[in-house]
Every structure is written in C-alpha cells, then in structure tokens.
Amino acid sequence: MKFPPLLIILADKKKTALDNRTTDTLTGISTLRGIRRRELAVGITTLPNLQEHGPLNPIWHGATSDKPLRLATLINGRREHGGG
C-alpha cells in the first residue's frame, strides 16, 4: 500500500440508515483510482459493530470486497479465505 489505511466509522443513526450510508459511501469511493489500484485501503464500519465486536473482527467493509473483512485483511489488500 502506498498510503496508510483510511478507516471510517459511521454513527448516530438507526441501523437501516447506517447500512444505507455504508453502501452509498462504498459505491462512491469504489470509483477512485487509488482504491481500484489498491494503493489506498478504505474500511467502513458502524459504531455499534465496533463496540460489539471490536476492531480486529470482520466488521470492516471495503470497496473491493463483498463481505466484511478483518482489519489485517483490509490493510494487506488480500481477500480472507476460510474461517476466522
């Protein structure tokens, strides 16, 4: 990675609104050249997920993955395979 990861934590709304914001944000950032080329890792989660599961569990949504990732996986730019 060329840049340090950018982690976004969404808060202060109901779950549906947070889910919609996560999707909208990922859609918007997925078009950025640095993200497509994996020069910048961007992870998005919600404050409730962070508080409940902690930062190291697979709660991070990235622009290049269709499932939640662990922080280390997001930063390393690799897709997670298998169980936890």
Side-chain angles (χ1 to χ4, degrees):
M1 296 271 158
K2 191 172 187 178
F3 301 99
L6 171 63
L7 303 177
I8 301 168
I9 302 166
L10 302 173
D12 294 332
K13 294 291 177 186
K14 293 182 180 180
K15 182 180 180 348
T16 304
L18 291 174
D19 290 345
N20 290 338
R21 285 183 178 183
T22 298
T23 300
D24 291 346
T25 303
L26 286 172
T27 300
I29 65 173
S30 67
T31 61
L32 299 174
R33 183 178 59 195
I35 307 257
R36 289 192 319 257
R37 296 173 68 192
R38 297 184 185 241
E39 294 173 344
L40 174 64
V42 177
I44 301 174
T45 193
T46 63
L47 186 56
N49 276 344
L50 184 61
Q51 291 172 325
E52 182 178 345
H53 303 289
L56 302 180
N57 285 300
I59 62 167
W60 299 98
H61 296 272
T64 59
S65 176
D66 57 352
K67 67 175 187 166
L69 301 170
R70 292 183 183 277
L71 186 57
T73 303
L74 178 75
I75 291 171
N76 292 329
R78 295 189 318 256
R79 291 189 62 107
E80 206 171 55
H81 297 285

